[in-house]
Amino acid sequence: MNSAGLAVKSGELTALRLFDIAYTIDLAQAESLWAAREGGKASRSQLTSTPPKAVTFGVAPLLFSLGSTTLSLSEREVTAELSVRLYDFGVAALAARIAVADLGWDEYVANFDALDRAVGPASLTFWTQWLDRVREVIRPALDRPAADASLEEDYLIGTVHAFSTPIDASELRDSVDLVALLSGEKRALSTASRRELLSRSFSYYADDLVVLTWDRAFIYEPRSDSDVADVIEVANAQLVEFRYYDTLLDDELPRMYDRVESARGAMSLFASRRFAHLARRLYTLVAEVTELTERVDNALQVTEDVYLARVYSTALGLFRVPALGESVDRKLAIIRDTYAALYGEASSRRAELLEVSVVVLIMLEIVLMLLRR
């Protein structure tokens, strides 16, 4: 790679941190609360260059500006613009964006790594202080707010809008070391590792490029469109939410087994009521999780834009969102089967109770007849 003569004329470095903060968020109420308390305007997110009929949000998320802060990157102070995007299914996506200009490629990579060190996985406090500010304002709009911010994901995006020399995507791969940017490694990687790291590359026009990895992405977009970055954020938001439901059901299954055993061990005449109550509880859980997972699944609807559809589906697969979705579906199926079995057992207990009652009444009638004689 010969990147000595190629510089980043304009671009930005973006750090994302996504949190599950509630069961659902009333976005209209959150918008009103933010305007009343902070005096700032909010906007409903939409893809900037893609026709609405091609790609649309299921429910357009809500974007707030949080102002700016100062970060130290590579021993120099830079200004980061902060924002938060709220999704109706309960996820808050915080972002710190740093504009860059006239940086050599190696310096651009160094700043990208420095941003990771400054606000990456080890810097949870930096994000939670901004998250707490947002939650304090919009708390009335949160349905069943999360007790803590322990469920979260982070992601880094390096974006270039223009290089010092016009260059197309095929030349760019040979002119700069994208592996150094995407891996964060200082040592040279093996040929197989380099090939794997660059395997999820996409270009629509000759002069644009997107490369996705598990925790980083590179975007070369001369038209300054943000659609690809927004799609990557949605995929991360879905990852957070499916992780939440997977964890919720992991915790619920052992409790469900214990409750079933407790109900079955009851020998009282009211055992059927226990079965019916437990069945109703499980049915409610299944209905709620199914409704919310469908809402998460439909967070972004891609119909006609084949390029964004490929980027989006690749990001979902890379983040293992479909695998988590299947895991949630399997656990929901177990709970549904348990609900059906409990409902059947409750009905059987009631039928047995009715049969016993009929027999007792017949015997009582016989006894009364004998006593009259």
Side-chain angles (χ1 to χ4, degrees):
M1 301 289 177
N2 181 18
S3 57
L6 194 63
V8 176
K9 185 177 180 180
S10 66
E12 68 179 18
L13 306 175
T14 304
L16 297 175
R17 186 64 66 94
L18 300 97
F19 298 88
D20 176 82
I21 63 171
Y23 187 70
T24 59
I25 304 174
D26 185 333
L27 298 183
Q29 185 180 8
E31 184 173 6
S32 298
L33 291 167
W34 188 262
R37 178 79 171 269
E38 297 292 324
K41 292 184 178 179
S43 61
R44 289 300 182 107
S45 299
Q46 58 183 1
L47 301 180
T48 57
S49 64
T50 307
K53 68 175 184 177
V55 181
T56 58
F57 287 105
V59 176
L62 189 63
L63 181 65
F64 298 147
S65 173
L66 300 178
S68 61
T69 189
T70 301
L71 297 175
S72 178
L73 299 187
S74 302
E75 299 182 351
R76 67 187 183 93
E77 300 296 313
V78 298
T79 299
E81 296 297 326
L82 298 168
S83 63
V84 61
R85 201 182 327 249
L86 302 177
Y87 292 85
D88 70 318
F89 48 80
V91 170
L94 291 157
R97 292 182 173 85
I98 299 170
V100 295
D102 301 322
L103 290 180
W105 179 256
D106 292 339
E107 189 179 358
Y108 179 80
V109 173
N111 277 269
F112 196 53
D113 291 338
L115 178 62
D116 189 27
R117 291 191 297 271
V119 297
S123 304
L124 186 61
T125 304
F126 170 82
W127 297 104
T128 53
Q129 63 183 350
W130 294 100
L131 180 64
D132 290 343
R133 171 188 165 188
V134 173
R135 287 200 292 192
E136 181 183 354
V137 175
I138 66 166
R139 193 173 300 279
L142 303 181
D143 178 20
R144 286 177 260 178
D148 55 37
S150 59
L151 189 58
E152 46 90 19
E153 288 287 339
D154 62 274
Y155 203 81
L156 291 175
I157 301 175
T159 304
V160 174
H161 298 311
F163 283 99
S164 54
T165 302
I167 190 170
D168 63 28
S170 58
E171 294 173 329
L172 180 61
R173 290 187 182 95
D174 298 327
S175 301
V176 299
D177 189 3
L178 292 175
V179 171
L181 178 81
L182 296 168
S183 68
E185 297 288 346
K186 303 304 180 186
R187 297 176 58 187
L189 299 184
S190 68
T191 301
S193 296
R194 294 176 65 88
R195 188 184 305 114
E196 170 64 21
L197 201 66
L198 299 176
S199 62
R200 300 171 188 86
S201 301
F202 305 91
S203 290
Y204 188 74
Y205 297 106
D207 61 349
D208 62 28
L209 177 66
V210 178
V211 188
L212 300 175
T213 69
W214 167 256
D215 58 351
R216 295 184 176 196
F218 171 73
I219 301 173
Y220 175 38
E221 180 47 78
R223 285 156 293 281
S224 300
D225 295 337
S226 63
D227 290 1
V228 171
D230 290 342
V231 162
I232 293 171
E233 182 185 296
V234 173
N236 272 286
Q238 290 174 296
L239 170 62
V240 171
E241 201 61 6
F242 273 112
R243 279 186 56 205
Y244 166 77
Y245 289 118
D246 193 51
T247 303
L248 173 70
L249 296 178
D250 274 340
D251 294 338
E252 181 61 30
L253 286 175
R255 289 196 294 265
M256 180 189 72
Y257 297 142
D258 291 340
R259 293 189 187 106
V260 169
E261 288 304 315
S262 175
R264 281 183 176 151
M267 300 302 293
S268 71
L269 295 176
F270 301 102
S272 61
R273 290 189 179 180
R274 294 192 182 186
F275 282 122
H277 177 74
L278 181 54
R280 284 194 297 272
R281 183 182 181 281
L282 294 179
Y283 179 78
T284 301
L285 175 64
V286 169
E288 288 180 348
V289 174
T290 301
E291 178 189 358
L292 266 295
T293 53
E294 287 179 356
R295 190 182 298 184
V296 175
D297 276 331
N298 295 323
L300 191 68
Q301 300 167 357
V302 182
T303 54
E304 296 180 10
D305 194 305
V306 177
Y307 174 63
L308 272 184
R310 289 178 61 203
V311 173
Y312 179 51
S313 61
T314 300
L316 290 175
L318 183 61
F319 302 156
R320 298 186 68 253
V321 173
L324 279 171
E326 291 173 2
S327 176
V328 169
D329 287 341
R330 285 194 302 270
K331 291 162 187 173
L332 284 176
I334 292 172
I335 295 176
R336 286 191 194 98
D337 291 343
T338 304
Y339 157 73
L342 285 172
Y343 185 80
E345 194 156 350
S347 299
S348 176
R349 290 279 183 112
R350 283 193 294 268
E352 290 175 2
L353 182 59
L354 286 174
E355 290 173 1
V356 170
S357 299
V358 169
V359 171
V360 169
L361 288 173
I362 292 172
M363 293 180 65
L364 181 60
E365 184 69 21
I366 293 171
V367 169
L368 290 174
M369 288 176 61
L370 293 173
L371 289 175
R372 291 193 190 103
R373 292 181 182 180

